[in-house]
Amino acid sequence: MSEGGAVNTVPVTPKARAQRGYLSQAVREAFVDWGTRLGALWIGVLIFIAVFAPFLANSHPLLLSEAGQVRSPLLEYLSAADVTLLVAFFSALALLWVPGTVRSKLLAWLAILALGGLLSWLLISPPKLSIYEQYRERQASGQYDWVITAPIPYSAKDYLRDYGAAGLEAPLASEERRHWLGTDENGADVLSRMIHATRIALGIGLVATGIAMLIGTIIGGLMGYFSGVVDMIGMRLVEIFEAIPVLFLLLTFVAFFGRNLYIMMVIIGITSWTGYARYVRAEFLKLRQQEFVQAAVACGLPLHSILFRHMLPNGMAPVLVAVSFSVASAILAEATLSFLGLGLVDDPSWGQMLNQAVQAATFNWWMAAFPGGAIFLTVFAYNLIGESMRDAIDPYLKKSSR
Amino acid sequence: MYHYLIRRLLLMFPTLFGITLVVFMVMAAAPGGISAQSLIEGQNLEPEVKKALEDYYNRLYGLDDPAPVQYLRWLNNVSPIGFTVDKDGELEGFSLTKGSDLGMSFRYGRPVLDLLAERVPVTLLLNVLSVPIIYLIAIVIGVRAATERGRSFDVGSGVTLLGLWSVPTMLAGVLLIGFFASDQYWHWFPTAGLSRREALVMPFLPHWSAWGDLLLLFAAVAVAVSLCVGISLKGGARLRMLLMAVLGLFLGGMMAAALPGEQGYLVTLVLAAALAGIFALVAYTDYAALRTGVMGIIGLFLGIAVAAHFAQGEFVRGFLLDRLWHLALPVLCLSYGSFAFLAKLTRSAVLENLQADYARTARAKGVPERLVLWRHVFRNSLLPLITVAAGLLPGLLGGSIIVEALFSIDGMGKLAVEAVQSRDRELVLSLTLISGLLTLVGYLISDICYAIADPRVSYE
Amino acid sequence: MERPFTAKDLLLYAFLSLLLLMILLAMYMVDRQWEKLSQMQRVMQEQADDVRSLRDTVRSLDQRLQGGALASAPSGAGAVADPLPASFSRAQAAAQKADYAAGDWLVSAFAVGLKTITPLVSSDRYASDVQNYVLESLLVRDPETLEWQGLIARAWQVSDDGLTFTFQLRDDVKFSDGQPLTAADVVFTYDFIMNPAIAAPRERAYYDKIASVKANGKYEVLFRFKEPYFNSLSLAGGMGILAKHFYEPYLASPETFNQSKGLLIGSGPYRLADPKSWTPDKGGVELERNPRYWGPVQPPLDRLLWKIIANDAARLTTFRNREIDSYGARPREYQKLLEDKELTSRSQHFEYMALTGGYSYIGWNQVRNDKPSRFADPRVRQAMTYLTDRQRIVDEIYLGYAEVAVSPFSPRSRQHDPAIEARQFNLETAKRLLREAGFADRDGDGVLDDAAGKPFKFELVFFQDNEDARRLVLLLKDLYAKAGILMEPKPTEWSVMLDLLNRKDFDAITLGWTSGIETDVYQMLHSSQTVNGGDNFVNYRSKDFDRVVEQARANVNEDQRMALWRQAERILDEDQPYTFLVRGKTLAFIDKRFHNVALTRIGLNLNFVPVEVYVPAAMQKYTD
């Protein structure tokens, strides 16, 4: 059941008020809703988990003492992406306390992020191969004086080779090891994989939506501004992309580019931009008749200035409302791909774990319940936020609900 | 209006052309593109044998031609007017009456039309069953949410439906199969397919060897349904909840007892409590229509269960019942997620009309609120729902890949996946052509519906 | 002003659509009944024909009796004295068991939908499973001794040069429509295959080794081969005989035959109810007992049924529900299912190494993009084999239901030299070999580098839908990491994988080959097969190996040939073009009501023809 039929019926736009103020007001109103707060809380928790994943679940001990020498394999094995995420998180936290406008804070954060990312990619090169069982083996043979491990002492890709287990153990079934949520078909700890998969879920949602929004806004904006022939050709393009079964594109693109996380983000992004294009087009068609746009054209401002500085900020409201739903559907798209056996192999993802609940001979409830539950909660959270944003921005419903 | 219509219809052609062209290009360019090698089954083949097979398939389907030639040939075959070709592949001439031909599927070695004729009814059957259910429940809940706006039913139903919408289909399917169709838990439903082999030789309708059983069935169902409906309509909230909770406790206990193997008290307790809670919640709802409906259905199943338990003679399920039994879980999977969107739509449409001037006039005339709602407001609120229905058109025949894969149902969705994975040129192109056509027609119909519904919209 | 749409209208419409639905359903019902009726009509027609021919026989017997012919020619006694053909001895033994009874069906499942079951046109294993019950060949193999025995052929002779085979046919064999099977049918089958208009390129390429097939009288056939070939008897004796009177008309319109779905008739113990009308949309195949079966032992089962269930989990559930009678499990499933008391109490399970079971391997591509790859060095390939802990793969991936594969030859066949043993996992030896080949960690990142400083990193291609392969690859990744080798799993869909193989564009690949009773390694490892489309996609070239294999193939003396095969095996063991992984056991569950299910050297006898399994009368489940 798609929303395709309803997409082209977007008649509601508030005109009288300044859009930006309106949007922030809408956001504020949305957050009055307890559902939105819960949703935001859950996503906040996920962000926290994603940032601190290596410290929450890792086979490399946090600290250990070997023959009197203290070292931290966890920090040695920290990857550039881990460090970048940490930088992003702490700088965002710090900036929240610093006074200043939202805009300048955002710019500062992006600058820090870029710098931190660049530096960590250049400077940090952890060993490329990890042999996870070495710590357990050495600890068992008494080579370490003492060891402090992460709360969950298993990495996502630690398949517990030293135990030679065949995997798929129910939660807490094993006596010697503690797997709170059981193990998957390869013997890896499900909780650990779920923690590390949080990054993928959040990342795929945001990046895929970002890509879709970018393409959709540009194409939709051009269609709306120029109308006429450009609009007609653009609408055909939109229709073509809507009419081609998404699955076909996904299947062939996976065959094309292989299964890489980033490529999956791009694939999901470029198969879901058409909705944005329609929204932006409808907005721009209305805006281009208005005085301030006409004035900007009359002043001889360059096209990009008219489009992006004058029209875009005024036409973004419906797009931003759709973002939350779009993130949810991107997460579902990843889960669907993984479910069809086209997801990641080694890297953890919720959809791929859910897939194992079906594939094994018997029904492994923990492989369905936990990763499936995580997908559900995340999608639900985004949908809740999106729903209250939509309600808040729709003046008619708002009026009537009072 | 007619001008607009003709323009839209004409614009469909370049779009369809574009769709098939894009699909063909992507498929031809993809690794392992369109070639005879994937048609050859078995690996232990000597190169000569392999070569011979490849040559054969190349000749049969023209697979060694350059991609543009392959596409143009397909286009010519599909278009109802075009060039005719004689046996040796030479052009014979231009014909206006040659008719369109979707060609042969490589993978199945059968005409695409045959495959469609086989698969479309299956998918259609699933959707024909689930769409009315979706609409019925969505409308019932949406209307109530609008009249109760801001109150607990509105908020509760909104959140619940949104929650249902957020449940990934594969999770629901896996859980349903895992719990209700595997003998690890309750084996109530079949896991796969659309009917058992035995059902093919069964009579069409269910059959009882003893008339007494049939009578018993009717009596039990009548008693149980009327009891439930009676409680729902006449009983007070306290009484309803109490009775239903007791029923839930009892059924939960029975369910726990039906589990294979020994179960601890905890499982029994949790199950009984959960079922009692759900039943009590149903009984608590002050939305009489919904409550009575759900309780009536509970009564129906209760009656059937009682009758089945006490039946003496032999019972032949019959083809129809067997089919419905196989369809229960897939249809459930297809429908649960779609309520949210439609209910929301119904809600906002009804809200808008409830405050419209004509509704106020009707109320002012002294028309009872009930009549205002159902005779005036509801009728006017149906239009957006109908508009949306046009958008369902491609979905109706497209099929759900996940549901069909989970339940091994040979419908259009599975066909599409198999076609793409085996690079079946004719089949992929035909499927995209059909789904593209349906999508475009759906847009057109919904635009026209929109124009009819709202005279302010003009397409001149 | 239009009339408002009221609830009454809604009811009316609902009622009307219900009525329409009922009418449609009733029509469907009538249609089903009509089909059944026509089927009954056909059966009755056949029975009438049989009765008529019986009456003819009786009448002629009567006449002969009146003429006093019977007294002088004891033909009846001759038929009794006719000894039971060896190929039927096992079925006969089964029929003499105390609980033997005829009746019941065998229901199996196919994982893939069938395109066609017309012989020659069909190419998959599933279609040949069906044809196995319908078509018969001149000879069959004894499942224990693996020797050839006559089925349609009463006796056969081989000329001294090993090029001519003469078969004497039985004179009592009839096709399932009552027509006799004669030498003309055998000749026709060969001619039909070799007719270029018929879509049988595969068979045509196989039978290309035969120079001619000639009939000598009504019941004798001569096969003449072009060159000596070790497998020639199985080529000639294993050909499924087609009915000339049935298939000949299609020579006039070969396309009809090539496009056909279900043209299948033969002399075997089972037949299609209608030899012409089967189509794939029937959702399965159903064979019924051939009422005119010529064999001295009639098949016990009434009906054979194959359903199509593509989903693995669904197939298992169907078996659990007893809707299918056999299930081939994967190791992990098998282990789980064995714990299931309810299931094991009503089924029998078998685990065995099938003689024709095949093996899995990793192929190391020696030439990529026309440049020798790092696997061109035999030391590297040997090191990889040392690193591939195959005992661990057997234990952890196959849960012990497999054995380490040493070479392409089954350890149970005479082709294998028992002196050759599998390389055990040995990290130190592997590291030493890699060091000798010039690999060392030069930049300190934990990954080995070659002399030019390029890290030892490769992609392992595997088929994405194979669950066991996925787990295997992850295990290998961790094993290779121990030696400082970075392996990246590359799951690939089937069509892409074929494309990679064709272009030889991969580092390493894991796949499996099936084996024959005598395995030929020519096509996958002979250097001539490195051509485009050839199966030597790892670009293995060894002059010694080529020479030995060529000699073996042209040698019809079994002992000499086996010695040559062993020599080839030793070369392979040294060169390790593949790292041979494991040979998996076949793990089968079969419903308990089938009796006399037993293991033979060839494998389980469930699907043997003549049929050996039966269901005792008390346990029978289906009736016609």
Side-chain angles (χ1 to χ4, degrees):
Chain A
M1 308 294 130
S2 74
E3 290 191 47
V7 162
N8 45 8
T9 62
V10 191
V12 206
T13 33
K15 288 174 192 143
R17 276 180 272 191
Q19 297 276 347
R20 188 173 311 238
Y22 178 71
L23 198 68
S24 60
Q25 189 192 341
V27 170
R28 222 171 295 130
E29 267 175 35
F31 273 81
V32 174
D33 194 9
W34 60 268
T36 319
R37 287 186 185 173
L38 279 183
L41 183 69
W42 172 249
I43 289 165
V45 170
L46 287 187
I47 290 174
F48 181 81
I49 292 176
V51 169
F52 291 99
F55 297 94
L56 292 173
N58 208 325
S59 295
H60 301 295
L62 190 61
L63 276 176
L64 60 81
S65 158
E66 189 174 11
Q69 259 189 326
V70 176
R71 62 188 192 101
S72 168
L74 192 151
L75 292 180
E76 286 163 28
Y77 276 87
L78 225 48
S79 73
D82 295 334
V83 176
T84 315
L85 275 177
L86 285 169
V87 168
F89 184 77
F90 283 111
S91 59
L93 221 56
L95 282 172
L96 276 185
W97 297 106
V98 178
T101 60
V102 177
R103 198 193 180 89
S104 61
K105 278 186 191 175
L106 198 67
L107 281 176
W109 184 68
L110 285 175
I112 297 174
L113 187 61
L115 190 70
L118 193 70
L119 282 178
S120 50
W121 286 106
L122 286 177
L123 298 179
I124 298 173
S125 59
K128 283 187 186 137
L129 296 170
S130 338
I131 300 165
Y132 298 107
E133 60 266 31
Q134 58 179 339
Y135 306 105
R136 289 191 293 269
E137 280 164 0
R138 283 191 206 160
Q139 195 180 4
S141 64
Q143 286 187 37
Y144 296 148
D145 310 326
W146 47 263
V147 178
I148 302 175
T149 60
I152 293 136
Y154 305 104
S155 285
K157 297 183 195 176
D158 182 355
Y159 299 113
L160 307 179
R161 299 295 179 204
D162 46 337
Y163 291 100
L168 283 177
E169 272 171 21
L172 302 175
S174 161
E175 296 285 319
E176 47 177 338
R177 291 159 283 140
R178 181 157 296 169
H179 298 292
W180 295 105
L181 303 184
T183 62
D184 78 348
E185 63 169 5
N186 294 302
D189 185 80
V190 171
L191 181 55
S192 166
R193 281 182 83 77
M194 278 181 63
I195 286 172
H196 286 266
T198 315
R199 288 183 175 186
I200 289 174
L202 291 179
I204 261 190
L206 291 177
V207 176
T209 307
I211 292 171
M213 206 160 76
L214 193 71
I215 303 177
T217 312
I218 291 173
I219 294 183
L222 291 176
M223 283 193 314
Y225 179 75
F226 287 108
S227 69
V229 181
V230 176
D231 185 33
M232 202 171 83
I233 295 174
M235 276 313 279
R236 299 291 83 73
L237 196 67
V238 169
E239 279 180 355
I240 287 174
F241 264 85
E242 279 178 349
I244 294 176
V246 173
L247 176 99
F248 168 79
L249 290 179
L250 290 178
L251 285 175
T252 23
F253 282 167
V254 169
F256 246 123
F257 302 112
R259 297 140 177 241
N260 178 309
L261 175 62
Y262 303 101
I263 282 168
M264 270 169 77
M265 292 175 179
V266 175
I267 293 171
I268 295 174
I270 55 179
T271 48
S272 56
W273 55 269
T274 52
Y276 291 107
R278 279 182 184 272
Y279 286 132
V280 174
R281 168 183 173 263
E283 285 296 304
F284 273 39
L285 275 179
K286 281 180 208 122
L287 286 175
R288 65 191 287 266
Q289 307 291 346
Q290 292 193 0
E291 287 85 356
F292 74 97
V293 179
Q294 301 289 347
V297 176
C299 287
L301 287 176
L303 179 62
H304 63 87
S305 166
I306 300 174
L307 277 181
F308 297 112
R309 286 190 78 92
H310 292 90
M311 290 176 80
L312 195 59
N314 292 299
M316 279 306 273
V319 174
L320 290 179
V321 170
V323 163
S324 198
F325 292 115
S326 179
V327 172
S329 67
I331 293 174
L332 280 181
E334 190 273 331
T336 309
L337 263 185
S338 297
F339 182 79
L340 291 171
L342 299 169
L344 307 167
V345 182
D346 200 7
D347 294 301
S349 107
W350 291 340
Q352 169 230 49
M353 278 184 270
L354 178 57
N355 185 20
Q356 293 177 10
V358 216
Q359 287 220 333
T362 38
F363 171 57
N364 308 301
W365 63 269
W366 64 97
M367 295 306 292
F370 302 127
I375 298 175
F376 161 67
L377 284 179
T378 312
V379 170
F380 193 23
Y382 276 115
N383 280 341
L384 273 176
I385 296 172
E387 187 82 359
S388 14
M389 289 277 282
R390 187 154 70 185
D391 287 353
I393 219 155
D394 188 331
Y396 189 82
L397 288 176
K398 202 172 62 191
K399 187 178 71 196
S400 59
S401 64
R402 275 199 192 124
Chain B
M1 188 72 199
Y2 288 108
H3 182 73
Y4 170 77
L5 208 65
I6 289 165
R7 205 175 76 109
R8 285 288 296 263
L9 282 173
L10 283 178
L11 276 177
M12 266 186 184
F13 285 101
T15 316
L16 281 176
F17 177 76
I19 292 168
T20 52
L21 188 65
V22 168
V23 166
F24 181 82
M25 281 194 322
V26 170
M27 186 165 57
I34 306 167
S35 73
Q37 56 186 359
S38 57
L39 287 169
I40 301 162
E41 283 166 44
Q43 294 170 36
N44 275 342
L45 291 183
E46 292 174 22
E48 304 93 73
V49 181
K50 212 187 230 173
K51 193 91 190 60
L53 278 170
E54 263 184 38
D55 284 349
Y56 172 73
Y57 285 122
N58 278 338
R59 215 165 359 109
L60 190 61
Y61 300 118
L63 288 167
D64 47 357
D65 290 334
V69 175
Q70 291 191 35
Y71 178 71
L72 288 177
R73 191 185 299 134
W74 176 81
L75 207 61
N76 185 41
N77 282 343
V78 171
S79 102
I81 54 170
F83 299 99
T84 49
V85 176
D86 67 4
K87 272 205 139 132
D88 305 320
E90 300 294 321
L91 288 184
E92 263 182 353
F94 194 83
S95 158
L96 289 172
T97 52
K98 76 175 190 60
S100 71
D101 175 18
L102 291 178
M104 295 276 284
S105 150
F106 311 156
R107 188 185 139 89
Y108 295 91
R110 303 169 57 192
V112 171
L113 214 57
D114 274 16
L115 283 171
L116 293 180
E118 186 185 313
R119 299 297 184 96
V120 165
V122 174
T123 299
L124 212 55
L125 176 67
L126 279 175
N127 285 310
V128 162
L129 287 177
S130 56
V131 169
I133 296 178
I134 294 168
Y135 264 75
L136 188 72
I137 296 184
I139 288 174
V140 166
I141 292 180
V143 170
R144 181 68 175 188
T147 52
E148 292 259 302
R149 70 168 179 281
R151 271 183 261 165
S152 60
F153 183 86
D154 184 18
V155 177
S157 70
V159 171
T160 314
L161 293 186
L162 198 67
L164 280 180
W165 185 37
S166 310
V167 177
T169 315
M170 41 263 178
L171 176 63
V174 166
L175 289 178
L176 283 176
I177 289 186
F179 282 112
F180 297 112
S182 91
D183 43 13
Q184 270 172 284
Y185 298 96
W186 298 280
H187 190 185
W188 292 345
F189 292 96
T191 25
L194 285 177
S195 57
R196 288 165 73 111
R197 165 64 181 78
E198 293 92 304
L200 295 180
V201 292
M202 280 180 195
F204 186 75
L205 293 172
H207 183 80
W208 286 265
S209 66
W211 280 101
D213 289 348
L214 193 57
L215 275 177
L216 177 70
L217 178 74
F218 274 116
V221 167
V223 168
V225 170
S226 48
L227 217 63
C228 282
V229 171
I231 293 168
S232 163
L233 290 180
K234 299 279 181 246
R238 290 265 176 79
L239 179 70
R240 287 194 317 244
M241 283 174 67
L242 186 72
L243 285 174
M244 289 305 278
V246 169
L247 185 66
L249 274 176
F250 174 70
L251 289 181
M254 295 290 279
M255 266 177 87
L259 276 174
E262 279 299 299
Q263 296 304 328
Y265 286 107
L266 192 68
V267 177
T268 317
L269 214 65
V270 168
L271 264 175
L275 224 59
I278 293 170
F279 279 21
L281 192 70
V282 168
Y284 168 74
T285 318
D286 56 355
Y287 185 12
L290 188 70
R291 184 181 69 222
T292 312
V294 175
M295 284 176 68
I297 290 168
I298 293 176
L300 179 73
F301 284 113
L302 204 65
I304 292 173
V306 168
H309 188 256
F310 290 105
Q312 305 288 324
E314 209 174 318
F315 166 64
V316 178
R317 199 183 302 129
F319 184 78
L320 180 66
L321 221 59
D322 183 76
R323 180 53 63 91
L324 286 179
W325 186 50
H326 278 80
L327 283 173
L329 292 187
V331 166
L332 185 63
C333 257
L334 276 177
S335 37
Y336 77 88
S338 312
F339 301 142
F341 174 64
L342 280 177
K344 183 91 184 164
L345 202 70
T346 317
R347 177 181 177 271
S348 50
V350 171
L351 262 185
E352 194 176 344
N353 282 300
L354 270 178
Q355 288 168 348
D357 293 338
Y358 71 85
R360 213 171 300 156
T361 316
R363 270 186 221 114
K365 264 181 14 186
V367 180
E369 187 60 36
R370 206 183 151 81
L371 281 185
V372 173
L373 178 63
W374 289 106
R375 185 165 291 168
H376 299 279
V377 169
F378 179 62
R379 273 187 56 219
N380 282 309
S381 315
L382 274 176
L383 274 164
L385 289 178
I386 295 167
T387 312
V388 169
L392 294 179
L393 207 58
L396 268 183
L397 294 185
S400 160
I401 289 138
I402 292 173
V403 170
E404 286 176 11
L406 267 171
F407 292 94
S408 322
I409 294 170
D410 285 323
M412 295 288 280
K414 246 177 104 185
L415 189 68
V417 177
E418 286 166 1
V420 173
Q421 282 188 334
S422 57
R423 305 281 196 280
D424 193 331
R425 184 185 67 200
E426 251 72 359
L427 198 52
V428 169
L429 286 174
S430 303
L431 288 175
T432 33
L433 184 68
I434 291 168
S435 80
L437 191 65
L438 288 174
T439 315
L440 296 183
V441 171
Y443 287 163
L444 188 58
I445 294 177
S446 69
D447 283 358
I448 293 170
C449 283
Y450 196 57
I452 294 171
D454 189 351
R456 285 168 297 182
V457 178
S458 96
Y459 289 111
E460 289 316 320
Chain C
M1 182 73 200
E2 58 184 296
R3 213 172 58 81
F5 185 86
T6 60
K8 229 182 263 170
D9 293 348
L10 191 73
L11 269 179
L12 186 71
Y13 282 120
F15 179 71
L16 276 178
S17 40
L18 196 70
L19 203 69
L20 198 70
L21 186 75
M22 281 329 239
I23 292 172
L24 275 175
L25 290 176
M27 278 164 67
Y28 180 67
M29 187 70 200
V30 170
D31 191 49
R32 274 157 43 98
Q33 280 171 346
W34 184 82
E35 258 174 37
K36 196 142 195 184
L37 209 69
S38 64
Q39 197 183 338
M40 274 161 62
Q41 224 161 19
R42 211 191 59 250
V43 172
M44 274 162 66
Q45 181 65 40
E46 269 182 12
Q47 279 173 350
D49 286 350
D50 280 353
V51 167
R52 200 176 310 124
S53 73
L54 212 67
R55 209 175 287 144
D56 286 349
T57 327
V58 169
R59 196 177 303 133
S60 70
L61 263 175
D62 222 28
Q63 284 165 359
R64 282 161 73 189
L65 204 69
Q66 281 168 359
L70 196 65
S72 55
S75 61
V80 173
D82 195 15
L84 187 79
S87 46
F88 283 93
S89 58
R90 291 174 60 94
Q92 176 74 12
Q96 275 156 3
K97 296 215 166 165
D99 56 353
Y100 177 88
D104 212 344
W105 308 356
L106 172 62
V107 188
S108 325
F110 285 156
V112 181
L114 293 165
K115 281 188 207 170
T116 166
I117 54 170
T118 305
L120 307 181
V121 182
S122 70
S123 58
D124 48 7
R125 189 171 65 78
Y126 301 109
S128 74
D129 278 0
V130 174
Q131 289 156 10
N132 183 30
Y133 283 102
V134 178
L135 300 176
E136 287 184 310
S137 50
L138 295 172
L139 308 178
V140 289
R141 265 192 208 269
D142 182 280
E144 291 293 353
T145 61
L146 304 183
E147 295 297 327
W148 287 101
Q149 295 172 330
L151 185 68
I152 291 176
R154 243 184 320 114
W156 72 97
Q157 298 83 34
V158 191
S159 66
D160 291 337
D161 58 0
L163 287 180
T164 308
F165 293 77
T166 316
F167 296 91
Q168 285 83 37
L169 310 190
R170 296 177 64 95
D171 56 3
D172 54 353
V173 182
K174 283 196 167 80
F175 287 111
S176 60
D177 57 357
Q179 299 281 335
L181 186 155
T182 63
D185 292 300
V186 182
V187 175
F188 167 78
T189 306
Y190 173 75
D191 291 342
F192 195 66
I193 291 171
M194 298 315 282
N195 187 329
I198 299 299
R202 179 198 311 253
E203 281 78 4
R204 218 158 26 244
Y206 283 129
Y207 289 104
D208 203 33
K209 293 199 167 65
I210 297 179
S212 70
V213 177
K214 287 206 177 67
N216 182 16
K218 210 174 168 192
Y219 295 110
E220 191 168 83
V221 201
L222 273 87
F223 283 75
R224 210 174 151 70
F225 280 78
K226 288 176 182 162
E227 57 193 55
Y229 177 54
F230 76 99
N231 236 352
S232 41
L233 184 60
S234 92
L235 219 52
M239 183 169 79
I241 310 294
L242 303 179
K244 185 178 183 184
H245 65 275
F246 184 81
Y247 290 103
E248 197 168 31
Y250 293 104
L251 283 178
S253 55
E255 272 317 296
T256 323
F257 178 81
N258 295 344
Q259 309 275 326
S260 71
K261 307 299 159 213
L263 292 174
L264 179 60
I265 196 169
S267 58
Y270 291 90
R271 64 170 188 183
L272 280 175
D274 177 352
K276 288 188 180 176
S277 73
W278 184 86
T279 50
D281 54 341
K282 298 239 154 116
V285 188
E286 195 167 332
L287 294 182
E288 59 178 31
R289 198 206 305 255
N290 174 4
R292 301 198 185 85
Y293 186 50
W294 60 274
V297 183
Q298 288 294 317
L301 304 170
D302 281 337
R303 213 169 266 270
L304 306 170
L305 219 76
W306 288 269
K307 298 178 173 190
I308 289 158
I309 307 171
N311 184 316
D312 287 344
R315 209 158 48 243
L316 175 60
T317 320
T318 327
F319 176 72
R320 277 179 193 273
N321 301 348
R322 312 194 73 174
E323 286 174 52
I324 54 175
D325 295 323
S326 63
Y327 180 72
R330 286 182 311 229
R332 182 175 276 174
E333 282 174 342
Y334 185 75
Q335 204 177 44
K336 279 250 170 72
L337 292 177
L338 282 187
E339 292 165 11
D340 185 341
K341 291 280 168 301
E342 200 262 336
L343 186 85
T344 43
S345 70
R346 56 179 174 74
S347 60
Q348 40 194 332
H349 52 271
F350 296 88
E351 44 189 273
Y352 60 94
M353 301 296 301
L355 192 59
T356 54
Y359 54 91
S360 58
Y361 62 85
I362 307 173
W364 310 106
N365 192 3
Q366 302 186 21
V367 182
R368 191 174 179 184
N369 301 329
D370 297 323
K371 283 195 297 263
S373 71
R374 61 172 69 88
F375 297 117
D377 187 337
R379 287 172 298 189
V380 176
R381 298 197 300 269
Q382 284 175 7
M384 296 313 284
T385 303
Y386 278 117
L387 283 175
T388 309
D389 191 345
R390 292 174 285 179
Q391 192 53 47
R392 207 163 159 183
I393 293 171
V394 168
D395 292 341
E396 288 176 23
I397 309 292
Y398 294 91
L399 306 176
Y401 299 112
E403 65 182 19
V404 173
V406 185
S407 75
F409 304 131
S410 163
R412 276 157 297 280
S413 83
R414 288 185 59 208
Q415 289 174 291
H416 170 68
D417 182 354
I420 301 177
E421 287 203 354
R423 286 178 167 77
Q424 299 293 317
F425 174 73
N426 193 331
L427 190 58
E428 293 317 311
T429 318
K431 278 183 177 165
R432 181 177 52 77
L433 282 166
L434 286 170
R435 209 162 40 241
E436 283 170 19
F439 288 97
D441 184 6
R442 290 172 219 275
D443 54 7
D445 64 351
V447 183
L448 296 181
D449 306 282
D450 61 11
K454 266 176 67 184
F456 197 142
K457 187 171 124 181
F458 71 97
E459 287 179 342
L460 180 58
V461 175
F462 65 99
F463 177 46
Q464 62 183 20
D465 291 345
N466 186 338
E467 194 190 316
D468 290 333
R470 205 164 53 225
R471 296 176 53 217
L472 168 79
V473 165
L474 286 180
L475 173 62
L476 291 178
K477 177 177 183 273
D478 286 351
L479 287 173
Y480 296 153
K482 285 186 175 174
I485 295 171
L486 187 60
M487 183 262 263
E488 288 177 351
K490 188 175 178 191
T492 312
E493 67 179 295
W494 191 241
S495 48
V496 179
M497 191 142 114
L498 290 172
D499 192 47
L500 292 180
L501 289 182
N502 246 1
R503 292 189 289 116
K504 305 181 170 48
D505 185 18
F506 61 94
D507 293 325
I509 193 163
T510 174
L511 271 175
W513 287 123
T514 54
S515 313
I517 285 171
E518 187 171 331
T519 305
D520 190 359
V521 285
Y522 179 81
Q523 57 180 334
M524 44 254 210
L525 293 168
H526 191 275
S527 61
S528 68
Q529 306 297 315
T530 53
V531 294
N532 217 358
D535 276 337
N536 187 352
F537 38 73
V538 295
N539 290 303
Y540 172 65
R541 286 163 204 273
S542 158
K543 289 217 170 60
D544 292 342
F545 179 78
D546 288 357
R547 186 175 37 78
V548 174
V549 167
E550 279 160 25
Q551 286 172 359
R553 276 164 60 89
N555 198 326
V556 285
N557 179 321
E558 189 168 327
D559 290 332
Q560 290 172 8
R561 192 167 70 235
M562 289 306 156
L564 286 166
W565 285 133
R566 289 175 180 204
Q567 202 181 333
E569 190 186 20
R570 276 191 292 278
I571 300 174
L572 285 184
D573 186 53
E574 187 54 37
D575 282 352
Q576 293 288 321
Y578 295 165
T579 290
F580 297 94
L581 294 173
V582 296
R583 294 174 177 276
K585 281 185 177 170
T586 307
L587 306 170
F589 280 93
I590 291 157
D591 197 285
K592 215 164 200 165
R593 67 179 205 281
F594 289 91
H595 280 213
N596 200 35
V597 184
L599 283 175
T600 64
R601 253 185 91 190
I602 270 187
L604 206 61
N605 68 349
L606 185 70
N607 290 317
F608 280 6
V609 180
V611 180
E612 298 173 9
V613 299
Y614 59 88
V615 183
M619 301 172 98
Q620 291 189 357
K621 184 174 169 191
Y622 303 97
T623 45
D624 273 327

